Amino acid sequence: MTFRQRREKLRAILAGASCIHPGSVYDAISIRIAEDLGFELGMFGGSVASLAILGDPDVALITLTELAEQMRRMSRASPLPVLVDADHGYGNALNVRRTVQELEAAGAAGLTIEDTLLPQAFGEAKTQLISIEEGVGKMRAALDGRSDPSLVILGRTGAASITSLDDAIRRAKAYEATGVDALFFTGLKAREELEAIAAATRLPIVLGGAPEQFSAIDYLASQRVRIALQGHAPFAAATQAVYDTLKALREGASPKQLKGLASAELTGRLTREKAMAARSRDFLGLERG
């Protein structure tokens, strides 16, 4: 599947009438698992990218090169469309433009650009936002940076929990006016906030970090929410599994005593063993003994 076809699938999700939950992905195996389980979309979050690539918390230490390379690895491994959290675009509006170019070349189906001031300013404990004017400049630069018009650009704001709901709406309307394809919101705490945003805007909505009262997917769809994130539990589960396995081995357990390991069948399926064997036969003349 071409990169453009992947992007068109994401556009179809945003243009539809339903809301979906994406699968949180962060490497070649996790994206293949999400593909095989039937997820329509993968979500490559900034926090999970920092954890998977650096082993560091989400404090804006990861670089654009590192993020794009990991996206490139996932694009090679699976045709599943992926929405990438591109944070603040790794700098000012000119950096945003390059961020779009790099992630487009790496195969992302879409990406988000947010108006959070990153990295965190010296002496400021609370999260801060850039001005609306700078945010608009970043959105315009993002749109200018794409060469494939099917690449999806989302304007993102967490203003609802940082400044006010009114500010979130002002920012969303300003970003909408630049021509972005969808709006991404974090920090919403009540249905009334989502309803006010939906009434004031017209683009498809993506929700990140929504509370339990937003779990009714039909309700979300009625408010023009097309994608609702569910966090990054797969990475947390994988971390716990690796920790438990290494701990058991360190404490003297035999490999045969370990529980919860992937079967040879599952491992072979996720590594596309049959396809690789066919290529080995066709291109190298190798037959299995």
Side-chain angles (χ1 to χ4, degrees), residues 58-60 87-88 91 114 116-121 127-128 130 138:
D58 188 18
V59 292
D87 287 329
H88 62 316
E114 65 184 85
T116 309
L117 179 62
L118 295 172
Q120 196 161 346
T127 303
Q128 294 179 293
I130 60 177
K138 285 193 170 189

Side-chain angles (χ1 to χ4, degrees), residues 49-105:
S50 185
L51 289 168
I53 296 169
L54 302 180
D56 284 335
D58 188 18
V59 292
L61 294 181
I62 193 170
T63 67
L64 169 59
T65 300
E66 291 166 331
L67 184 77
E69 281 301 317
Q70 193 74 348
M71 182 64 247
R72 187 171 287 108
R73 294 183 183 102
M74 290 193 287
S75 294
R76 171 198 168 273
S78 169
L80 184 71
V82 176
L83 176 60
V84 182
D85 174 4
D87 287 329
H88 62 316
Y90 300 91
N92 64 21
L94 299 182
N95 298 105
V96 167
R97 190 175 185 278
R98 181 171 176 228
T99 293
V100 170
Q101 292 173 329
E102 295 294 335
L103 289 175
E104 179 180 307

